[in-house]
Amino acid sequence: MHHELIEHIQKFVSLDDSEIEMMESTLQKSNIKKKTHVLQEGQICNSMYFIVKGCMRQYIINPKGTEQTLQFGVENWWITDYLSYHNHSPSHFYIQAVENSEVIALDKNTLESLLVQIPKLEKYFRVVAQKAFGAAQMRIKFLFTMSAEERYNHFKNQQPDFVQRVPQYMLASYLDFSAEFMSKIRAGKV
Amino acid sequence: MHHELIEHIQKFVSLDDSEIEMMESTLQKSNIKKKTHVLQEGQICNSMYFIVKGCMRQYIINPKGTEQTLQFGVENWWITDYLSYHNHSPSHFYIQAVENSEVIALDKNTLESLLVQIPKLEKYFRVVAQKAFGAAQMRIKFLFTMSAEERYNHFKNQQPDFVQRVPQYMLASYLDFSAEFMSKIRAGKV
């Protein structure tokens, strides 16, 4: 039923049959329609979302009223607001489905109970969080050191299919340049 | 000997006496002189650093040849390049002591062995990484949504003592504005 998540976990730790069974009986997939929010600014984030299929994004609304995408999540990624999750504080972010998506929403109580029953999951979530943090540090480096065109080409080389999947304005804000500049780049006019 | 780290760990998980003893016999403090690097771009990052006393920073050198500080770490913070650490890939970052510092350098082999011997440390490192990632997401939000002056005032309110501890040019690059603008703000001329 959740073989995508089980497979992902098994890349980091080995689960035995009873543990897999426990996870499968505990977790369920949800369908999130395109444009639906699973988190809005001001709400407390009580879940982590594993993306089985589709695409989600985390964004903010900047003082000009424009949406600014800070993170995309596709298949086999987790997306959440860890600070709101841990501190039980109102979130500063929105999390929304970019495509019709299938996710496993893991709420705090369920996760804490799973971690007690299957302690080796701690390692899985540790490594996932550490790698996500490392990737965020790289993203900040790219924002500071690459030109807009370099950022676009770098992203396109790393994620060739993804560039076609998301609306241009979202990708432009993620790469921190205007939608107009994005159109020029894609038209080969830069 | 390492009561600062033990105390920090005990905020998240309880260690018994034998576990504390094991940690104390395994770990040792190192003194890192101001301006010394524990990681340079191109090197593989094999350790995580817990700051017992002092201040460290992670920075990059941007295409103009200017140092850009991406993260500061003070007492009770961990600092490392998680991507290089996990992927065994050359780092894109520098990690340097801003002040004479006392750190516990935890290399990968030692950490992996400690995690096997004291599995509950997985939880500690998971929560630390998740919170650090959450804080990094907030930092990106601030960079995108606050004016330079707002960023300075926000930082000063959150870390009143810290503003005096680090060279202005480092703090200016961390908050993403020029050292000249920083001088004006501090002189109350903005």
Side-chain angles (χ1 to χ4, degrees):
Chain A
M1 187 94 159
H2 309 295
H3 56 90
E4 296 88 350
L5 176 55
I6 304 291
E7 269 176 30
H8 194 247
I9 292 172
Q10 304 239 65
K11 286 183 187 168
F12 300 89
V13 294
S14 294
L15 299 174
D16 62 35
D17 289 350
S18 69
E19 291 164 341
I20 290 174
E21 207 175 304
M22 185 183 295
M23 293 206 64
E24 292 194 332
S25 67
T26 309
L27 303 177
Q28 50 190 16
K29 280 187 206 170
S30 320
N31 291 306
I32 314 282
K33 278 206 171 167
K34 184 174 171 172
K35 296 193 180 172
T36 303
H37 288 88
V38 294
L39 182 70
Q40 305 226 29
E41 187 172 0
Q43 293 178 339
I44 289 168
C45 179
N46 271 319
S47 295
M48 295 176 54
Y49 301 90
F50 179 78
I51 301 156
V52 175
K53 207 176 156 185
C55 176
M56 309 279 288
R57 66 168 178 143
Q58 179 199 35
Y59 72 92
I60 55 173
I61 296 181
N62 70 24
K64 289 179 197 157
T66 312
E67 293 173 4
Q68 183 113 27
T69 300
L70 300 189
Q71 205 192 339
F72 288 108
V74 289
E75 287 79 6
N76 286 343
W77 271 83
W78 286 92
I79 197 160
T80 190
D81 174 357
Y82 282 118
L83 221 55
S84 171
Y85 179 92
H86 279 294
N87 298 345
H88 205 71
S89 55
S91 178
H92 289 257
F93 303 99
Y94 297 82
I95 297 179
Q96 184 193 39
V98 178
E99 302 171 348
N100 290 331
S101 300
E102 255 178 58
V103 305
I104 295 173
L106 191 46
D107 70 82
K108 208 169 178 168
N109 290 341
T110 309
L111 176 56
E112 290 304 321
S113 142
L114 269 179
L115 289 167
V116 171
Q117 290 171 295
I118 314 175
K120 68 180 91 161
L121 289 178
E122 290 283 3
K123 177 177 180 162
Y124 168 70
F125 285 106
R126 168 178 67 87
V127 177
V128 161
Q130 289 178 337
K131 286 190 152 194
F133 181 40
Q137 288 177 316
M138 282 306 296
R139 169 167 149 72
I140 300 178
K141 173 166 182 170
F142 294 147
L143 287 178
F144 278 130
T145 57
M146 288 183 180
S147 69
E149 197 184 351
E150 284 168 340
R151 290 199 293 278
Y152 177 74
N153 288 328
H154 178 84
F155 190 81
K156 199 177 148 195
N157 288 337
Q158 291 218 314
Q159 315 273 348
D161 301 330
F162 189 70
V163 172
Q164 307 303 325
R165 268 174 79 173
V166 295
Q168 291 191 29
Y169 82 93
M170 283 186 199
L171 190 55
S173 77
Y174 178 76
L175 296 171
D176 197 26
F177 50 81
S178 68
E180 293 71 30
F181 190 75
M182 172 69 97
S183 301
K184 278 188 193 166
I185 282 184
R186 292 184 61 149
K189 289 180 186 159
V190 174
Chain B
M1 188 88 162
H2 308 296
H3 56 91
E4 296 89 350
L5 176 55
I6 305 292
E7 269 176 28
H8 194 246
I9 292 173
Q10 304 240 63
K11 286 183 187 169
F12 301 89
V13 292
S14 294
L15 299 173
D16 62 36
D17 289 349
S18 69
E19 291 164 340
I20 291 175
E21 207 176 305
M22 187 183 295
M23 292 205 65
E24 292 195 332
S25 67
T26 309
L27 304 176
Q28 50 190 14
K29 280 187 205 169
S30 319
N31 291 306
I32 314 282
K33 279 206 169 165
K34 184 174 171 170
K35 295 192 179 172
T36 302
H37 288 88
V38 295
L39 181 70
Q40 306 228 27
E41 187 173 359
Q43 293 178 339
I44 290 167
C45 180
N46 272 317
S47 295
M48 296 177 52
Y49 301 90
F50 179 78
I51 301 156
V52 175
K53 205 175 157 187
C55 177
M56 309 280 287
R57 67 169 177 142
Q58 179 199 34
Y59 71 92
I60 55 173
I61 296 180
N62 70 23
K64 289 179 196 156
T66 312
E67 293 173 6
Q68 184 113 26
T69 299
L70 301 190
Q71 204 194 339
F72 288 108
V74 290
E75 287 78 9
N76 286 345
W77 271 83
W78 287 91
I79 197 161
T80 189
D81 174 356
Y82 282 117
L83 221 55
S84 172
Y85 179 93
H86 279 293
N87 298 345
H88 205 71
S89 55
S91 178
H92 289 257
F93 303 99
Y94 296 81
I95 298 178
Q96 184 193 38
V98 177
E99 302 172 348
N100 289 332
S101 299
E102 256 178 58
V103 305
I104 295 173
L106 191 46
D107 70 82
K108 207 168 179 169
N109 290 341
T110 308
L111 176 56
E112 290 303 321
S113 141
L114 269 178
L115 289 166
V116 171
Q117 291 171 296
I118 314 174
K120 68 179 90 162
L121 288 178
E122 290 284 2
K123 177 177 182 164
Y124 168 71
F125 285 106
R126 167 178 67 87
V127 177
V128 161
Q130 288 177 338
K131 287 191 150 194
F133 181 40
Q137 287 176 315
M138 282 305 297
R139 169 169 150 69
I140 299 179
K141 174 166 181 169
F142 294 147
L143 287 177
F144 278 129
T145 56
M146 289 183 179
S147 69
E149 197 183 352
E150 283 168 341
R151 290 200 293 278
Y152 178 75
N153 287 329
H154 178 85
F155 190 81
K156 199 177 149 192
N157 289 338
Q158 290 218 317
Q159 314 273 347
D161 301 330
F162 189 70
V163 173
Q164 306 303 325
R165 267 173 80 172
V166 294
Q168 291 190 29
Y169 81 93
M170 282 185 200
L171 191 55
S173 77
Y174 179 76
L175 296 171
D176 198 27
F177 49 80
S178 67
E180 293 71 31
F181 190 77
M182 173 68 99
S183 301
K184 278 189 194 166
I185 282 183
R186 293 184 61 151
K189 289 181 187 156
V190 175

